[in-house]
Every structure is written in structure tokens, then in C-alpha cells.
Amino acid sequence: MGRRFAVKITGALITLDEEKNLPRALASLAFCDEIVVLDSGSSDRTLELARQAGARVDHRDWTGYADQKNAAAALASHDWILSLDADEEVTPELAASIGRLREEGPTADGYAFPRRARYLGRWIRHSGWYPDAKVRLYDRRKARWRGDYVHESVTVEGTTERLEGDLLHYTCDTFSQHILTVDRYTTLAALQMQAAGRRPGLLRLLTAPVWTSFRTYVLQRGFLDGYQGFLIAAMAGFYVFAKYAKARQGAPADAHRPPRLRTRAARRPTPGTAAL
């Protein structure tokens, strides 16, 4: 007879062309009772790799990060959801903490744990990037993802506690990847500001980036992260500058789409108009 647990957990991921990262994430979720992968149109081996790992795979056209993650949770057979991005990995220490919770039963409605990022070959311990605790294990009856454009997070209507062990986040292998990521996310952040009716003034555009870089490098001890810490601080300031500049200028209406879907949509003629 199989071992009985107080709660059963579904590992949930959303994907789009993640064949490079997905095997690592799926392997770290092997202790879950099931794994659900919600894909938005991958053209690489993402779906094949997910099925090979025993995951249940479904498709849903892209509607935004929070919306996709809530849809993935809705597909689960169990109410407790462990939500990961494809570029993340559960450490053995965190898996052990979750294992104890499965055996003893939950004492909260959501659980947060630190996320440790790997950036340009180095694990970042400062710079405002760590411990970066996130709620990723939650009871879907009491919690859901929220966030219209960027920086989505789990909102829990109840109690939250913290688990021991890190969630690993594999960010950028090259500086060029960081630049592309900042370009995309600052566009989304600008859209969010526009939707809220916020338009930053010129003084804020000039001063906020300098303050952000100083805070990241000095107050949040980014200097202890070496050369990578310097780049993180510089790019943190640039992120703020680009976000405010785009908010003043106006972001494209389809910027909420993932890059490949956005390109695909741009090539599809809109009814009643000529193709560009």
C-alpha cells in the first residue's frame, strides 16, 4: 500500500519554448503528487519533454502571467499548488521542508521561501535579490495570482508562514540576455503605470535611477556580489529610467504578449486593415 500524506500537492508551471530549462524544473518537482504544465504555443521540444517527465500537459493562449498561472492551478487535481517558473528549481532542503508539511499537514494557507538567483555564473547573496522570499506553495481555495502586466504575486486570503530551503532561480547567462529582459519588463511596467493613470515627471525620471543604483550597490550591499553586483546595480537604475521614459512616451498595446507571440501577432493582419 502506498504511503498516505496529510495533503497532496500539484506542481504547476506555465511554459513557452522552455526546452532548455524545463527538465531541471520538472526533475525538482518529482516529489509532487502530480505535475501540470500549461503551455501557450511552444514550437520547440517543451511539450515532448513535459510528457516524458509524466506531466499533464494542456494548452491555453497567452493572456498574461497571473492569468496563465491561475489557469494552471485550476487544472490541478489537488488544492495545494506548488507554482514554479520553468527557470526555477526546488532545492533538496526546500523539498524536505515541503515533505514534512505533506506528512504533518499545513498550519497556514500559503508558504513563502527564499529565492536565490544565479546571474552571470554567480549566486547572488545581496543586491536586494536575496532572500527575495516568495509565496509559491498555497491552497488555491484561499489564494490566487494577481498582477495585470508585470511582477505578479500570490495573494493569500488567510495566514502565511515561511519554509526553510531555497528556491533557485537561473536568470541570465549573458549580459545581452539581461538587456533584453529589462527591455521587455520595463515595457510591461510602463503599461501598468499607464493603466493606473500615472505619468512620471521629469525630475523623477532624472533622480530615481541614480537613487536606485546607489541603494542597490551600497545600502543593499551589492558590492559584496563582485562584478555581477556592480552590473545589477547599474541595470537596476537603468530599469527605473527605461520604465519611466516608456511610461512618458507610451508603450505598444501588444507588449503584454511574450516576444514570440507578439511577433506572430504583428504579422497577422487585423480584419479590415492591411498587413504591415
Side-chain angles (χ1 to χ4, degrees), residues 1 10 50 53 70 80 84 87 95 104 122 150 159 187 192 256:
M1 180 178 293
T10 295
N70 285 327
W80 277 89
L84 256 63
D87 60 357
E104 300 168 3
R122 181 183 184 126
V150 67
T159 59
T187 299
Q192 188 163 295
H256 66 284

Side-chain angles (χ1 to χ4, degrees), residues 109-162:
D109 302 303
Y111 290 87
F113 27 85
R115 187 170 65 160
R116 179 161 33 110
R118 187 168 181 82
Y119 174 71
L120 302 187
R122 181 183 184 126
W123 291 108
I124 304 303
R125 298 282 187 174
H126 309 281
S127 303
W129 281 24
Y130 187 82
D132 188 32
K134 304 288 185 184
V135 173
R136 291 299 190 84
L137 177 63
Y138 60 92
D139 183 342
R140 66 180 176 184
R141 297 167 296 186
K142 299 286 190 66
R144 63 184 289 104
W145 288 90
R146 300 190 186 278
D148 292 333
Y149 294 99
V150 67
H151 302 315
E152 72 282 0
S153 61
V154 176
T155 300
V156 180
E157 296 179 358
T159 59
T160 61
E161 294 179 4
R162 188 155 170 170

Side-chain angles (χ1 to χ4, degrees), residues 17-35:
D17 293 338
E18 290 286 359
E19 67 176 5
K20 176 184 176 182
N21 291 312
L22 190 60
R24 179 180 57 220
L26 291 173
S28 76
L29 291 172
F31 65 91
C32 291
D33 297 283
E34 72 168 349
I35 300 175

